[in-house]
Amino acid sequence: MQRALALAANAVALTSPNPTVGCVLVKDGDVIGEGHHEYDLLDHAEVMALRQAGPAARGATAYVTLEPCSHTGRTGPCTQALIAAGVSRVVIATQDPNPLVRGKGLEQLREAGITVDVGVMQQQARKQNDAFAKYITTQQPFVLLKYASSLDGRIAPARGTLAPGERFHVTGKLAHARVHHMRNGSDAILTGIGTVLADDALLTDRSGMPRRRPLLRVVLDSHLRLPLESKLVRSTELGPVLVCYHHASPEKVARLEQAGVQLLRIESNGGMVSPASVLRHLGQQQITSVLVEAGAQLATYMLSGGNLSTVDAVAAFIAPIVMGASAIPLFVSKLGMPLRLRQVASEAVGEDTLLTGYVRDPWPLAIPD
């Protein structure tokens, strides 16, 4: 199963809006076939592994990271392929959250006389497909809020401290590289206009890793203040830019559209473009995962309301520095309700520490643990 999970990890950024899946076929202690799903290659992991194994698949054990599909979509059902190949046992990490599949694949395999075991390395397998689980059950993307702060909860030096054009990085190079890996694993990156005006960032995926869909760069900009000379506007050839606004002059709208920027007029909530409305729109475009890289105002807004926040998980890079009370704080106001993360994990990334945790579990409660 570890090998199957590693195979599935190879397909990150290559399967959306489908899940990542890995499969390994074992017979008499030897691996006889393996595969992982990539959207553009159509074939699912099980079919790739069976093709590699050939007739030797009869009597083999299949290790699969996600319940084999039992319905016909873009391809035929994998359960029927496994049954036809004559495998004797299927070990599955986790059930499929898709209501069209959930439990039905297990049932078909067992009815065919195949031994089925479920739950091996389940937590690791589910983490690989958090975005798919959220999207397939709600039609909305999985939202990961990423931020970097000092030990005393500051995200940037006091305003006016830096010279024009000078950049200050809270965290180190390894943390920056990790962020680009996060971007690679996301369908979209979302930020607010305040961050764009302050940093003039490209917001591109520079991980060097392959991806099937270009990273969609989304900016919440209520009054369409995005400068025409900004790096985002001047880099639409590197990937699409979507600016969500509420009010703007027709002239500004026309000039941004001429520059290749996609614009979406959306409802306002207290003067700010509603992140919830934006996320609903992204879900309609089959965007399954969104990485939020925002400043204090948008981060505070999206986390407000405790478990009612629009964020599903948090990734916090904590740097071993103290910046003092005059530096810019992570939050601009109270969150309203304390927010306790679940399944918290800690990892050293160079000199920095990465803390990750869930605001809510994206997997349906009906699926057994």
Side-chain angles (χ1 to χ4, degrees):
M1 190 60 77
Q2 286 181 332
R3 176 58 182 165
L5 287 167
L7 289 168
N10 289 334
V12 169
L14 298 176
T15 63
S16 177
N18 286 1
T20 60
V21 184
C23 177
V24 175
L25 285 172
V26 177
K27 188 175 184 180
D28 299 327
D30 295 322
V31 172
I32 60 172
E34 58 183 33
H36 64 271
H37 172 59
E38 292 186 21
Y39 188 89
D40 287 339
L41 299 182
L42 291 181
D43 284 341
H44 288 186
E46 298 92 326
V47 173
M48 294 179 69
L50 290 169
R51 182 181 296 123
Q52 191 178 109
R58 184 163 297 278
T61 295
Y63 292 85
V64 192
T65 60
L66 189 69
E67 177 182 358
C69 63
S70 56
H71 69 292
T72 299
R74 298 170 72 237
T75 63
C78 291
T79 52
Q80 295 305 312
L82 290 166
I83 293 168
V87 301
S88 62
R89 181 181 177 220
V90 179
V91 181
I92 300 166
T94 184
Q95 287 192 41
D96 194 323
N98 186 347
L100 292 175
V101 177
R102 192 184 311 165
K104 297 183 177 68
L106 309 181
E107 182 180 349
Q108 287 188 5
L109 293 172
R110 285 170 175 153
E111 287 179 349
I114 295 174
T115 300
V116 178
D117 297 300
V118 185
V120 177
M121 301 188 72
Q122 180 172 261
Q123 186 174 349
Q124 296 93 321
R126 288 187 174 183
K127 187 172 183 180
Q128 282 188 339
N129 279 309
D130 281 339
F132 176 73
K134 171 74 181 293
Y135 172 74
I136 204 66
T137 54
T138 68
Q139 298 303 300
Q140 292 195 41
F142 179 82
V143 180
L144 173 63
L145 172 66
K146 185 279 302 180
Y147 66 82
S149 76
S150 63
L151 287 173
D152 53 342
R154 306 286 160 165
I155 60 174
R159 291 177 176 82
T161 303
L162 301 178
E166 183 181 1
R167 297 290 299 276
F168 177 86
H169 297 291
V170 175
T171 52
K173 292 182 179 180
L174 290 179
H176 296 165
R178 178 61 69 85
V179 170
H180 282 284
H181 278 252
M182 291 178 176
R183 291 181 181 182
N184 178 257
S186 305
D187 290 340
I189 182 171
L190 183 147
T191 194
I193 185 59
T195 298
V196 174
L197 295 176
D199 298 338
D200 193 23
L202 273 172
L203 300 177
T204 52
D205 169 10
R206 298 189 289 280
S207 66
M209 301 170 68
R211 61 181 306 127
R212 186 181 79 83
R213 307 163 78 180
L215 180 65
L216 175 63
R217 295 171 287 171
V218 183
V219 181
L220 306 190
D221 183 7
S222 296
H223 295 92
L224 215 53
R225 293 185 291 156
L226 180 66
L228 291 164
E229 65 276 9
S230 65
K231 290 179 181 178
L232 275 176
V233 175
R234 291 186 287 110
S235 65
T236 53
E237 75 284 353
L238 298 179
V241 176
L242 172 66
V243 180
C244 303
Y245 74 101
H246 176 65
H247 178 76
S249 68
E251 293 78 15
K252 185 64 177 289
V253 169
R255 294 181 70 182
L256 284 172
E257 288 180 335
Q258 289 171 3
V261 174
Q262 302 174 23
L263 295 176
L264 176 67
R265 191 175 186 278
I266 209 156
E267 64 189 71
S268 172
N269 188 350
M272 177 182 288
V273 168
S274 167
S277 298
V278 173
L279 293 172
R280 283 194 294 270
H281 170 79
L282 295 178
Q284 293 167 3
Q285 309 308 310
Q286 292 193 317
I287 296 296
T288 66
S289 55
V290 175
L291 177 65
V292 178
E293 295 188 32
Q297 184 175 2
L298 183 57
T300 303
Y301 187 85
M302 293 190 71
L303 282 174
S304 295
N307 291 333
L308 298 177
S309 73
T310 50
V311 174
D312 295 297
V314 173
F317 290 90
I318 310 300
I321 58 174
V322 177
M323 299 176 68
S326 62
I328 298 175
L330 174 61
F331 299 115
V332 296
S333 64
K334 296 180 180 180
L335 294 181
M337 295 178 63
L339 189 64
R340 182 175 293 276
L341 301 182
R342 308 164 187 171
Q343 300 182 40
V344 177
S346 175
E347 176 188 355
V349 182
E351 293 185 347
D352 305 309
T353 299
L354 172 59
L355 293 174
T356 56
Y358 292 87
V359 175
R360 63 178 61 83
D361 188 347
W363 286 78
L365 295 177
I367 293 184
D369 291 329

